Amino acid sequence: MAERIAIVGVGQTHHKSKRPDVTTAEMIAESVERCLEDAGLQMKDVDHLVGGSFEVADGYHCPDKWIIPELGAVGKAGLELQNVGTTGGVLAVASFNIAATGLFDTVLCYSWQKMDEAAGAFGRGGGGANEYWTGQFPMSPITNFARRTYAYMDRSGCTEEHIAMVRVKQDQCALKNPYAQLRLGLTVEQVMSDVLLAWPIRRLHMCPTTAGAAAFIVCPEERAKKVTDKPVWVEDWFTCHQGGALTMAEDPTSSTLRHACEVVYKRQNIKNPVKEIQAWEVYEPASPAELRWMEEVGICEDYTAWKLFEQDKVGIDKEVPFNPSGGVTATNPIGATPVVRLVEAALQVRGDAGEHQIPGKIERALATGYGGQGENVIMLLRKTL
Amino acid sequence: MAENLPEISSEPIVAGVTAHSNFLVSTGATGTKFLSELRDNKKIMGIKCPKCSKVYVPPRTHCPTCFARMSEWVELSGKGSLSSYTVVRYKEPYMPKEPPYAYGVIQMDGADTGMAHILGEVDLDKIKVGMRLEPVFKEQREGSILDIDYFKPSS
Ligand SMILES: [Zn+2]
């Protein structure tokens, strides 16, 4: 029988485009210090670590060899994992699995990306660059989301203006989040006249390059209750994959998100997600992805999410509180990005999100990780057991 | 089934992939202090843990034992003893010197850690663990660990 588990502490850096003032290890230590302080614990209390980044983008290999000493964690049990954009989600799932065994009391998950050091690392990015059939046409996340967004617009009636509304909503949320990187005060007109990368994707629609780190501590039930009076229970988690870009001929707008949510909702007997889940932190690498993601997590019918933006129903204090932190188009330290989603969702459940706190009781929050054109990690948090 | 593996019909086609990227490494506030002392004053600085008093060179910000933030700098003489070494006799890209040359880990006087560097002005067949060493600085220094050209046997 697995242990019930809870998040007892979270921490993140103030995300920026450049952090020359710290090494990668020091940047991670910053988030870990904040996380330990939040939990009221010390490094000596931690008995397992799980860490990682999207290593190809950082240009390092085996960075744990010099991060672990910087964290004062030499000799502790630990794993280093990576899986492109979903890295943080994979780290979280591994941390949950380890805590749920009951073999370890206090599992620290740390994650990072320092993209100010990764000049040109994305020359062959995205689209399954290692698989021959797509690797010969190295589609970046930009071209892939352009292709998927155009297919979405073609099927739904959504226009370029609606996509710009999504970006403006994200920015309005980020303006209330002191940890967010891009806090711009955008208008729909500004977004629509921004540099075109691949129609309909403009520069402002894509996630930025970020230097940042995020961490959390997860414990089995008994330990969690001793550490904090505000445990955030991890109710369920699930991760799955699909093929690369070219296997999505049937529905180019779709992802594994729908399937992953169906699995988790069924297991937790969630019938009406929009009512039963009060906070959403869903990994959107490009602003228009948010539309399809809202449909796939069950907030609205297929190809209707853009209407919610037209009706001004999406925002921190609106009908659909989707990505109150400002999301991934505001902040994207890739390897840490899904952990940032989890940290933000946990803060919402605790009621500690500050200016971007969703009003009312947050009984459930859903965070996701996304990467490699179709992998999804679902992390469902709960206030009460 | 494993016994039904397809037979390849011609010479196997294996595609080439070219990937080349340049990366930067931030040395941070602590590393920048160490490297600018090397560059500007030819000084080797260590950093001391406020909890366990260990001195680290090259420096880091957190003590690996205590996870305490360190900020007390200690000036070292630069002299030390060789704790281990190897002689490189093969060539590959990104090497800092033309082989043959020697890498050593130097236990600096006044520090509790070893520091990796190159050994110079030494007969490669006569290097001995424990031998005394001192740094030789480059004339043109740019704020790099290679502003120390190498460590040589000290008299
Ligand atoms: Zn110490």
Side-chain angles (χ1 to χ4, degrees):
Chain A
M1 177 70 189
E3 297 272 344
R4 296 198 287 192
I5 58 169
I7 292 168
V8 301
V10 296
Q12 62 183 313
T13 58
H14 288 86
H15 303 285
K16 296 192 166 26
S17 65
K18 288 187 167 61
R19 286 296 308 272
D21 58 315
V22 284
T23 67
T24 294
E26 290 163 355
M27 184 180 74
I28 297 161
E30 228 173 79
S31 69
V32 168
E33 283 171 332
R34 288 174 181 180
C35 178
L36 287 167
E37 195 187 342
D38 185 54
L41 294 172
Q42 294 183 305
M43 187 53 82
K44 67 176 171 55
D45 303 318
V46 171
D47 61 0
H48 200 303
L49 292 97
V50 180
S53 74
F54 178 7
E55 275 189 21
V56 175
D58 264 349
Y60 303 130
H61 58 94
C62 50
D64 47 322
K65 308 299 179 291
W66 40 277
I67 290 162
I68 290 295
E70 192 75 39
L71 296 181
V74 174
K76 291 181 188 290
L79 288 175
E80 191 207 329
L81 301 168
Q82 62 160 328
N83 190 22
V84 294
T86 42
T87 295
V90 171
L91 297 173
V93 164
S95 303
F96 298 160
N97 287 344
I98 290 164
T101 64
L103 292 171
F104 297 91
D105 249 356
T106 310
V107 182
L108 169 68
C109 178
Y110 63 92
S111 62
W112 78 94
Q113 205 79 49
K114 200 162 186 302
M115 294 178 75
D116 52 340
E117 304 191 353
F122 280 100
R124 296 189 62 85
N130 293 324
E131 185 186 5
Y132 177 79
W133 308 114
T134 48
Q136 297 299 307
F137 318 103
M139 277 190 246
S140 69
I142 298 164
T143 42
N144 257 316
F145 276 101
R147 183 180 57 81
R148 293 167 80 165
T149 303
Y150 177 63
Y152 179 84
M153 292 164 80
D154 194 43
R155 288 167 186 223
S156 67
C158 166
T159 67
E160 211 187 335
E161 192 175 354
H162 295 114
I163 298 168
M165 287 177 187
V166 178
R167 184 64 189 88
V168 169
K169 185 279 294 178
Q170 290 159 344
D171 184 50
Q172 283 169 351
C173 293
L175 283 167
K176 298 193 168 183
N177 175 6
Y179 293 95
Q181 177 190 345
L182 297 182
R183 307 165 77 211
L184 302 169
L186 295 172
T187 64
V188 167
E189 294 70 36
Q190 271 176 302
V191 176
M192 288 183 74
S193 58
D194 189 36
V195 179
L196 186 64
L197 302 177
W199 196 86
I201 300 290
R202 296 179 186 276
R203 187 181 48 192
L204 280 165
H205 287 133
M206 288 308 298
C207 48
T209 55
T210 306
F216 69 89
I217 294 170
V218 60
C219 303
E221 183 173 1
E222 195 182 327
R223 168 82 165 150
K225 285 176 171 167
K226 278 188 195 140
V227 171
T228 178
D229 53 3
K230 281 204 266 188
V232 178
W233 301 102
V234 187
E235 186 176 27
D236 205 350
W237 59 97
F238 182 72
T239 177
C240 62
H241 299 68
Q242 72 183 145
L246 301 185
T247 63
M248 286 188 272
E250 209 170 281
D251 182 355
T253 69
S254 191
S255 76
T256 43
L257 186 57
R258 183 193 306 268
H259 170 66
C261 284
E262 278 169 1
V263 169
V264 166
Y265 294 169
K266 191 172 178 206
R267 289 203 295 227
Q268 302 309 325
N269 198 29
I270 293 171
K271 297 276 197 298
N272 187 353
V274 74
K275 287 270 183 315
E276 295 172 66
I277 298 170
Q278 293 79 27
W280 306 84
E281 278 290 344
V282 179
Y283 190 136
E284 91 299 8
S287 41
E290 202 166 289
L291 296 166
R292 190 59 175 146
W293 285 192
M294 285 171 72
E295 294 156 7
E296 295 199 331
V297 301
I299 285 176
C300 55
E301 293 295 316
D302 279 344
Y303 304 115
T304 64
W306 59 276
K307 292 179 186 170
L308 294 175
F309 284 86
E310 197 173 75
Q311 295 157 9
D312 195 24
K313 286 184 175 169
V314 189
I316 295 170
D317 51 2
K318 293 180 181 156
E319 204 170 298
V320 183
F322 205 76
N323 293 346
S325 69
V328 183
T329 47
T331 308
N332 187 34
I334 308 176
T337 297
V339 176
V340 175
R341 307 273 71 66
L342 186 69
V343 164
E344 289 290 345
L347 289 171
Q348 291 289 345
V349 171
R350 273 166 41 176
D352 289 341
E355 218 190 321
H356 62 290
Q357 177 70 44
I358 298 163
K361 186 189 174 192
I362 310 296
E363 174 57 30
R364 273 202 183 97
L366 186 117
T368 78
Y370 172 90
Q373 303 301 324
E375 301 153 45
N376 266 287
V377 183
I378 302 295
M379 302 168 276
L380 187 64
L381 304 182
R382 194 141 190 203
K383 194 179 193 78
T384 49
L385 275 179
Chain B
M1 298 290 281
E3 55 267 33
N4 293 332
L5 290 172
E7 277 187 29
I8 196 153
S9 58
S10 69
E11 269 301 296
I13 296 170
V14 180
V17 172
T18 303
H20 180 81
S21 289
N22 296 309
F23 296 93
L24 305 166
V25 178
S26 301
T27 61
T30 304
T32 297
K33 162 81 175 165
F34 177 86
L35 294 172
S36 54
E37 286 287 348
L38 272 190
R39 179 190 60 203
D40 302 339
N41 304 314
K42 295 202 267 190
K43 278 183 185 166
I44 296 178
M45 305 293 287
I47 199 164
K48 190 173 178 180
C49 175
K51 276 196 177 168
C52 70
S53 298
K54 274 187 188 158
V55 173
Y56 294 90
V57 61
R60 49 175 65 252
T61 297
H62 294 84
C63 173
T65 310
C66 310
F67 195 45
R69 272 189 182 258
M70 302 188 282
S71 57
E72 185 187 343
W73 289 92
V74 185
E75 186 185 335
L76 304 175
S77 68
K79 293 189 175 178
S81 303
L82 184 64
S83 71
S84 62
Y85 74 99
T86 184
V87 178
V88 181
R89 298 190 187 275
Y90 67 99
K91 191 172 165 68
E92 65 178 12
Y94 315 118
M95 281 180 168
K97 295 267 180 192
E98 273 296 308
Y101 65 93
Y103 285 126
V105 174
I106 300 127
Q107 171 79 56
M108 213 79 71
D109 294 352
D112 294 283
T113 56
M115 185 170 107
H117 220 287
I118 295 156
L119 304 180
E121 293 186 44
V122 64
D123 183 338
L124 294 177
D125 295 324
K126 290 187 177 160
I127 301 171
K128 287 264 184 302
V129 167
M131 71 193 290
R132 297 290 294 163
L133 298 164
E134 64 183 49
V136 175
F137 290 91
K138 282 181 182 160
E139 278 304 309
Q140 294 291 320
R141 294 182 303 280
E142 54 187 25
S144 155
I145 192 66
L146 295 169
D147 284 354
I148 303 171
D149 205 1
Y150 50 80
F151 280 78
K152 69 171 185 181
S154 81
S155 43

